[in-house]
Amino acid sequence: MKKIFAFAFSVFAAGALFAQQHITNFGVVDTTQVYEQFFKNSSAVKSYEEKRASFQEEISRRADEIRDLQAKLQEAQDLGMDSDVKRYQDSIKIKSSSLKTYTQQKNQELSNIKKNLSNNNEFYKNLNRTIKKVAENEGLSMVINLQQSNSILWYSPAVDITDKVIESLEQQ
């Protein structure tokens, strides 16, 4: 009986020792940081930023025109020039409406461009391949996206492979 108990205990201990040796190694990736770093120098993002700046410049130019008309309106009101007052009011109303429409259209256009940038399927395929390669090189069996997991309360910076993923993407 003692031999059976000793044998069972040694099998149990060996199993526990084996289970302890098979520890799951995991890493984390901040995909938002990867995305921002990877795309900040891309031609698509530069094009988006140029359009945004151009649209903002046009919006500012139109807003300045309206402010000039408002100053002229105030001056006409002060001088009692009723016909000029009416003309400036009409012009301000038309230009304000036009500016509002232009701003809405351009904001929608920029929103669509930004959405297309962030939904770039080829980028995400490449990102997943790169994460897999980095994870395998690091001996990891699991990688967690920091942006998708609200259950991570703490992690060691040692398991963060974000910079390695960015580095690998930049070398491609």
Side-chain angles (χ1 to χ4, degrees):
M1 184 67 146
K2 287 183 181 180
K3 287 183 181 182
I4 293 174
F5 181 72
F7 177 75
F9 179 77
S10 57
V11 168
F12 177 76
L17 181 63
F18 177 76
Q20 286 178 351
Q21 289 178 350
H22 184 68
I23 297 174
T24 301
N25 293 323
F26 74 96
V28 296
V29 174
D30 185 342
T31 54
T32 300
Q33 182 184 349
V34 172
Y35 179 81
E36 288 172 358
Q37 179 69 30
F38 185 74
F39 274 115
K40 76 178 181 183
N41 294 323
S42 76
S43 61
V45 170
K46 286 180 181 178
S47 174
Y48 168 82
E49 291 299 329
E50 287 170 3
K51 282 184 180 185
R52 188 178 61 76
S54 173
F55 296 160
Q56 187 58 51
E57 190 177 301
E58 179 63 15
I59 289 168
S60 295
R61 186 190 65 75
R62 290 182 182 200
D64 288 344
E65 282 181 10
I66 293 169
R67 277 190 288 278
D68 288 345
L69 287 170
Q70 288 171 332
K72 289 178 181 178
L73 170 64
Q74 184 62 48
E75 187 178 320
Q77 287 173 332
D78 292 346
L79 296 173
M81 304 169 79
D82 293 337
S83 63
D84 287 344
V85 168
K86 176 69 172 139
R87 186 170 44 92
Y88 288 133
Q89 287 174 335
D90 291 343
S91 187
I92 290 170
K93 184 177 179 181
I94 291 168
K95 288 187 180 285
S96 294
S97 176
S98 174
L99 175 59
K100 182 179 177 184
T101 301
Y102 177 84
T103 302
Q104 288 172 340
Q105 289 173 344
K106 297 307 175 182
N107 282 338
Q108 185 60 48
E109 186 177 333
L110 288 173
S111 177
N112 290 339
I113 292 170
K114 195 170 188 177
K115 185 177 178 183
N116 288 338
L117 282 174
S118 64
N119 289 333
N120 184 333
N121 207 20
E122 191 58 38
F123 168 74
Y124 284 107
K125 286 179 186 175
N126 191 22
L127 175 61
N128 287 331
R129 284 191 302 267
T130 303
I131 289 172
K132 180 180 183 224
K133 182 177 87 176
V134 171
E136 288 172 349
N137 289 342
E138 296 291 317
L140 304 175
S141 53
M142 179 182 2
V143 176
I144 300 169
N145 181 358
L146 284 176
Q147 303 306 313
Q148 304 280 320
S149 181
N150 295 333
S151 61
I152 297 175
L153 300 176
W154 180 87
Y155 69 93
S156 168
V159 300
D160 189 342
I161 62 170
T162 302
D163 291 337
K164 291 176 183 176
V165 169
I166 291 170
E167 205 174 286
S168 183
L169 280 169
E170 289 175 342
Q171 291 175 359
Q172 295 181 6

